[in-house]
Amino acid sequence: MQSPLFAYTEQQTQDRYAVQNPQLLRVALTGQDDVLARKGAMVAYQGLIDFDGEYQSQSQRRSRAHTGEGLELMRCSGQGTVYLANLAQYIHVVDVDHDGMTVDSVYVLALDSTLHTEVIAVDSQYGISGSGKYQLNISGRGKVALMTSGQPLMMQVTPEKYVNADADAVVAWSSGLRVQMQAQTHSSGVMRRRGNTGEGWELSFLGQGYALVQPSEVMPPQHAVIGQGLGAQYGVGQQGAHGQNQNNVWSR
């Protein structure tokens, strides 16, 4: 049997995480450190690999119930190779260091079990709940595999050069950055402010670090909610900028 398909063979590498192709992640397990992966993300594996639903403490379950933010994880352990993917999204491996990373959990494919995750609230300076107010903070030292819809843009933020981005296109940012969100209180306000451009909520990043932006304002289909009218048009549905904006500016 012959076919160009035989060119898509397994990557030979000693790296623990390897991007097999832009939409498929290969993770090597040696029986020592486990990997936590999004439930249902395994597409193939070799060797003696065990998959278990990741235990969550009572506080973690309570936090997820109240915020809706969090990761549904499975623990991958044993010796062998596991291949992970999700809806053919593009995969990027990031080294997390002491600076930490803030990300929406919908964009996380896998991470080292040694990393610490915590749901954080991004509150309004006026004390009013805001759009996207819950995010996932990842700290410690290790690797995280992120997903994007299309090839992303990594933008550097410096004290002299801050970055603005559409709130629905932002994937992650350095935890040390200060974040502000410019928004209107309702959809008609977005129309008045932006006219017929279709633009509305935006994030401003200030400080020293990076912001990762994807070329899409739509979250992955398994979390998307099909809205109607203005909510769908301006990304202010339940998943558009998390769709619960009630304030003009929030900061962390």
Side-chain angles (χ1 to χ4, degrees):
M1 185 169 63
Q2 295 182 347
S3 170
L5 288 173
F6 287 100
Y8 298 101
T9 57
E10 181 182 3
Q11 294 280 0
Q12 299 301 317
T13 176
Q14 299 299 316
D15 294 336
R16 176 173 168 84
Y17 289 79
V19 179
Q20 173 71 33
N21 63 53
Q23 296 152 308
L24 183 65
L25 179 69
R26 174 184 183 269
V27 183
L29 297 174
T30 62
Q32 297 179 353
D33 295 329
D34 299 339
V35 167
L36 303 180
R38 176 176 295 277
K39 285 185 177 180
M42 185 274 292
V43 297
Y45 70 94
Q46 295 174 311
L48 300 175
I49 307 295
D50 187 34
F51 301 94
D52 287 326
E54 170 65 2
Y55 170 78
Q56 288 187 329
S57 67
Q58 184 176 356
S59 62
Q60 288 174 316
R61 291 194 299 268
R62 184 167 56 250
S63 176
R64 181 175 179 85
H66 282 87
T67 67
E69 185 63 76
L71 278 171
E72 290 287 345
L73 293 170
M74 61 181 178
R75 183 180 293 273
C76 309
S77 58
Q79 291 184 304
T81 304
V82 59
Y83 295 88
L84 304 171
N86 186 60
L87 298 169
Q89 294 184 85
Y90 285 82
I91 298 170
H92 319 273
V93 179
V94 181
D95 284 301
V96 178
D97 55 21
H98 63 278
D99 292 331
M101 170 187 294
T102 303
V103 63
D104 190 312
S105 61
V106 74
Y107 299 116
V108 177
L109 177 64
L111 69 158
D112 285 333
S113 61
T114 54
L115 289 170
H116 176 68
T117 62
E118 179 186 13
V119 176
I120 61 172
V122 187
D123 296 322
S124 164
Q125 64 185 27
Y126 303 110
I128 307 174
S129 298
S131 168
K133 78 171 192 174
Y134 294 109
Q135 302 288 344
L136 194 69
N137 191 66
I138 302 175
S139 58
R141 288 188 176 273
K143 294 183 182 295
V144 176
L146 299 178
M147 305 175 294
T148 62
S149 297
Q151 294 285 14
L153 174 66
M154 182 69 84
M155 305 189 71
Q156 184 175 13
V157 183
T158 68
E160 297 77 27
K161 183 179 66 175
Y162 60 87
V163 169
N164 294 325
D166 188 294
D168 291 331
V170 175
V171 174
W173 64 85
S174 303
S175 295
L177 291 176
R178 290 191 299 117
V179 185
Q180 293 181 331
M181 187 170 189
Q182 306 294 333
Q184 298 294 330
T185 57
H186 48 72
S187 300
S188 61
V190 176
M191 290 179 61
R192 287 195 298 269
R193 186 165 71 91
R194 294 298 189 185
N196 60 357
T197 66
E199 301 297 338
W201 281 256
E202 61 185 36
L203 292 178
S204 295
F205 299 97
L206 304 92
Q208 187 76 44
Y210 294 88
L212 183 65
V213 179
Q214 66 179 0
S216 173
E217 299 175 13
V218 179
M219 287 188 174
Q222 74 270 34
H223 291 277
V225 174
I226 305 301
Q228 298 293 329
L230 291 171
Q233 181 178 357
Y234 290 98
V236 294
Q238 291 183 6
Q239 294 300 331
H242 290 280
Q244 305 195 0
N245 182 70
Q246 299 294 326
N247 63 294
N248 292 322
V249 179
W250 56 258
S251 61
R252 187 174 77 81

